[in-house]
Each structure stands twice: as structure tokens, then as C-alpha cells.
Amino acid sequence: MNLQSIPVAEKAGAAASRPIIRVEAVEKAFGAFRALKGVSLDVYPGEVHALLGDNGAGKSTLIRILSGFFRQTAGRLLVDGREAHFRSPRDATEAGVGTVYQDLALNPLLTVSRNFFMGRELTVGPEFLGILDMEQMDRIALAEMRKIGANLTDPRQKVGTMSGGQRQTLAIARAIYFGAKVLILDEPTSALGQKQQLEVLKTIMRVRARGDIAIIFITHNEIHSKLVADRFTFLSLGEVIGSGTREDLEGEDIRRLMAGGAEINDLARELQAAALGA
Ligand SMILES: Nc1ncnc2c1ncn2[C@@H]1O[C@H](COP(=O)(O)OP(=O)(O)O)[C@@H](O)[C@H]1O
Ligand SMILES: [Mg+2]
């Protein structure tokens, strides 16, 4: 696939020059095991940054550091130019880092709008009465989801009846509405069928088109990353083995880096050896 041939919407405004997230030589040790060995990367507003790598590469560990679940063993994390010291996931959320996990943190038995506002419900009348402003919540949830593409008509629909793609869109719209400037999507397409995967990729492109939000897209799907990403970082066994913009990387580079940096010829030789019973 030719990367240049994929039309990508123009960014709103000039390309941002300052990263919203800067990861500087971050290390993470679990006992004697080093899961991250000095990882650096920059994430810019209005861009989709694909974080790629095989199982065990350290993607989830890095994401847990960015979202306040783990503290790094060494290295720095800067958010909008300032060093961040997240002590909890709440700190990260408050700093504008919104993470959409694979389980999406949705309750299938509740409605779309109740899920959208879960824990942050709007009320009407005196606060102590705690009367929910359902109309307002319905209106906002529906509008926010439609902005990024969910074809939804009933905000009182139970989440359990929604498609996988619509659920992703709900989780993403919710994170943005509550202030995410950086959106971390952990393998958002991996548990979905092909049609639903496309819906999620479209949602990513609509968020990107806003121009102000940075998206970190974790995937091990090379094709998905090529379809939507502006920038790529490849992790292997806790190290960055390659990075660059889509202009920097030719298709073959991406394929080679996806294979953990091994040359395709090396892989072919190994397969050949296996076929011969080695
Ligand atoms: N809490 C933990 N304790 C010990 N080892 C861990 C822990 N979390 C992850 N690891 C190890 O760190 C390495 C990277 O894991 P992970 O970040 O989950 O990789 P990825 O998400 O790229 O598959 C793996 O070898 C994994 O076993
Ligand atoms: Mg992982």
C-alpha cells in the first residue's frame, strides 16, 4: 500500500510545533525485569501517533505510566511542556490525558447517556435533592457522539444493545467531552469484526479532523496504523526500534519494524528452516 496515496484531511491550523506529550528516556522495572529501557517519544496535537509492537513490547506499560497507574522508574514525562508527576489515574485525567481501555469501562445495563455521564451526572434544582437532568444529559450525549460519527438516535438505548464500534465511539466522545487533550486508545480495533473496525477508524479520523486533540493509537495491526497515523513509534522488548512520520517511513520499513526489526529475509529463512524440520 502506498502511504502517500491515502487522502488525509488537512489539519486545522498550522502543524503544532510543541508536543502535548513528551516521553523522555522513560524506564520501568518490575523487580529485576526491565519492561521499558529508556523510551522517548513526542506526541503532537492534531496528530494520530501509532504505537506499534509485538506482545510484550511494553506498549501497555508505557500507557499505564501515561495514564497514572504506574510511576516510571526513571525518565521524565512532560505534558504541554511541564513535567508531570501523576500519582493516580485521576491526576492524568485532570491533566487532559484520557485513556480508553479495551474494556471501555461501560455498563451494558445502563443507557447511553447514563454511561456518558457516569459519576459526573448533571442535576437539576437544588443540588441536595440530586434530581438528574436527564434531558440535558440525553441531549449532550447524543450530540457529542454524533460529532464523531455514531449513528445513534436514542440516548436511552442500553449500551448492551450497541455495536462494538458504537461503544468505542461512546467511550471516546465521553473522554473528549470531559476534557481529554490526549486520547489514548488501547487496541481499539482488536476485538472487533471488519465493519466495526472501519467504524472505529472513521471515528479516529473525525477526532483528528478537530485538529486540537492528540491521539495515541496502540495497535498491532499494521494496516490500521497506516490508514490513520501521522507518526509511528515501534517498540520491541522495551526499546524504540524505529520512529518517524508517514513521510519518513516507506511501507517496507513499517513491515520490517512490525516484525520486531527482523529483516523479512531473516523470517523467511527461519520459516524455511522450520519447514525442513530444523
Ligand atoms: N505488573 C507487571 N509485573 C511484572 N512484569 C510485567 C508487569 N506488567 C508487564 N510486565 C512485563 O513487561 C513486559 C511488557 O508488557 P506489556 O507492557 O504488557 O507489553 P505489550 O502491551 O506491548 O504487550 C512483558 O514482558 C510483561 O510480562
Ligand atoms: Mg498490551
Side-chain angles (χ1 to χ4, degrees):
M1 191 189 309
N2 178 358
L3 289 179
Q4 265 68 33
S5 69
I6 301 167
V8 178
E10 283 298 313
K11 279 182 208 130
S17 54
R18 181 160 98 172
I20 179 81
I21 291 270
R22 166 159 275 185
V23 174
E24 262 181 25
V26 161
E27 301 185 17
K28 178 69 189 176
F30 296 109
F33 178 74
R34 292 165 74 213
L36 296 174
K37 304 170 187 164
V39 167
S40 298
L41 61 95
D42 287 337
V43 183
Y44 294 88
E47 286 194 355
V48 177
H49 192 128
L51 182 59
L52 296 132
D54 214 343
N55 279 335
K59 303 182 298 295
S60 295
T61 301
L62 180 59
I63 287 332
R64 287 188 191 118
I65 290 169
L66 292 176
S67 54
F69 277 100
F70 290 162
R71 285 295 292 275
Q72 67 268 33
T73 311
R76 300 205 303 163
L77 184 61
L78 289 92
V79 178
D80 214 4
R82 266 187 305 216
E83 191 165 359
H85 300 278
F86 298 152
R87 279 177 203 87
S88 69
R90 178 183 286 254
D91 285 351
T93 310
E94 279 171 8
V97 180
T99 305
V100 175
Y101 296 98
Q102 264 168 314
D103 69 7
L104 301 178
L106 298 174
N107 183 336
L109 302 175
L110 294 180
T111 65
V112 169
S113 38
R114 290 308 297 274
N115 270 282
F116 195 96
F117 285 93
M118 202 185 302
R120 294 178 277 209
E121 284 79 4
L122 304 177
T123 55
V124 64
E127 192 139 8
F128 69 90
L129 290 178
I131 301 171
L132 298 182
D133 191 347
M134 286 310 304
E135 264 165 44
Q136 182 81 331
M137 290 195 284
D138 284 349
R139 197 182 55 71
I140 293 171
L142 197 61
E144 294 301 312
M145 287 184 66
R146 281 190 172 164
K147 270 189 209 163
I148 56 168
N151 188 13
L152 203 80
T153 51
D154 181 9
R156 305 225 176 160
Q157 186 181 346
K158 297 266 195 297
V159 160
T161 66
M162 294 165 87
S163 71
Q166 285 177 324
R167 290 182 208 204
Q168 283 282 347
T169 303
L170 167 50
I172 292 170
R174 179 174 67 180
I176 294 172
Y177 180 74
F178 288 104
K181 288 286 161 240
V182 180
L183 195 60
I184 301 175
L185 308 177
D186 192 5
E187 301 268 2
T189 55
S190 67
L192 302 176
Q194 212 158 41
K195 188 153 167 280
Q196 296 301 318
Q197 290 176 358
L198 182 62
E199 291 308 313
V200 173
L201 296 177
K202 282 187 195 167
T203 294
I204 291 173
M205 289 310 269
R206 290 195 192 95
V207 174
R208 180 184 180 280
R210 291 172 45 124
D212 59 341
I213 290 178
I215 300 170
I216 302 178
F217 175 33
I218 296 131
T219 180
H220 53 248
N221 188 312
E222 170 200 340
I223 293 172
H224 291 171
S225 74
K226 280 204 227 171
L227 286 170
V228 300
D230 301 284
R231 212 174 279 273
F232 301 80
T233 294
F234 297 86
L235 279 184
S236 178
L237 301 175
E239 287 178 290
V240 175
I241 55 165
S243 62
T245 62
R246 62 166 51 227
E247 288 77 23
D248 298 337
L249 297 167
E250 299 292 332
E252 282 310 308
D253 289 336
I254 293 179
R255 196 153 302 133
R256 181 174 53 79
L257 291 164
M258 281 300 290
E263 294 293 344
I264 195 80
N265 289 337
D266 296 344
L267 299 178
R269 266 196 299 277
E270 275 188 43
L271 287 175
Q272 186 72 33
L276 296 172

